[in-house]
Amino acid sequence: MELRGSCHCRAVAFTVTSAGPLPYQRCYCSICRKAGGAGGFAINILADNGSMKVIGREHVREYRARLNGELSKHRRYFCARCGSHMWAWHEDWSDLVHPLASVIDTPLPRPDHFVDIMLDSAAPWVALYEGENIERFPEYPAESIEAWHKRLGVWDG
């Protein structure tokens, strides 16, 4: 599925292809929460980095958190004009990119299942969603995003 996304001020727009466009995984880590989360979490989508096309790249800035005194391999990309957190990329999985669901303009499918991750880092004021079909993990789950989509039969690749 081709996804189109943009920042709030429209200085940056992008397209990317995703075989797993369900916005299902809510990350409660302190970095996602503070860098661009809403409700105390951020939702990343799995996409093919090689398919990404960006308009307005001159307005894109990178943020890398420090973990234990060293720069993280996980890079977050923002619009320098409006501050919208748009996508993330990790050097260990360079063929993938993770746009945030919140900046995708293409109508996304609504997931029936959710995964809440990094709950050990959740802010104490965050009230978790209630309901069925929610898996919860104190840190990162062992199952990859691709494997999750395949297990639930929602992989389009």
Side-chain angles (χ1 to χ4, degrees):
M1 173 178 198
E2 183 180 82
L3 303 177
R4 295 184 181 280
S6 61
C7 65
H8 185 259
C9 73
R10 303 278 187 199
V12 180
F14 64 90
T15 60
V16 68
T17 302
S18 175
L22 280 173
Y24 79 99
Q25 191 178 69
R26 299 179 287 226
C27 182
Y28 290 83
C29 82
S30 64
I31 303 166
C32 282
R33 175 170 35 93
K34 290 181 177 232
F41 59 85
I43 299 176
N44 296 318
I45 296 174
L46 175 71
D48 173 22
N49 191 32
S51 71
M52 190 164 198
K53 294 177 181 60
V54 179
I55 298 169
R57 191 173 286 277
E58 68 273 17
H59 301 294
V60 175
R61 299 296 181 272
E62 177 187 286
Y63 173 70
R64 293 173 70 186
R66 287 202 172 272
L67 301 173
N68 302 320
E70 297 195 20
L71 282 177
S72 170
K73 293 180 178 183
H74 192 85
R75 301 163 191 234
R76 289 165 173 82
Y77 294 89
F78 295 83
C79 172
R81 290 180 60 188
C82 68
S84 295
H85 181 189
M86 296 177 292
W87 65 83
W89 177 83
H90 195 290
E91 63 187 62
D92 288 346
W93 301 282
S94 60
D95 57 328
L96 303 174
V97 66
H98 299 280
L100 271 75
S102 58
V103 300
I104 299 299
D105 300 317
T106 304
L108 293 170
R110 185 174 181 169
D112 293 326
H113 295 76
F114 292 92
V115 176
D116 292 343
I117 66 169
M118 301 300 290
L119 290 175
D120 281 355
S121 298
W125 57 264
V126 170
L128 299 177
Y129 286 87
E130 296 297 326
E132 297 182 25
N133 300 322
I134 300 173
E135 299 172 68
R136 295 201 162 111
F137 298 91
E139 306 244 342
Y140 287 110
E143 184 176 45
S144 72
I145 295 173
E146 181 177 337
W148 182 91
H149 281 82
K150 287 179 177 178
R151 175 170 57 93
L152 270 69
V154 293
W155 184 252
D156 187 28

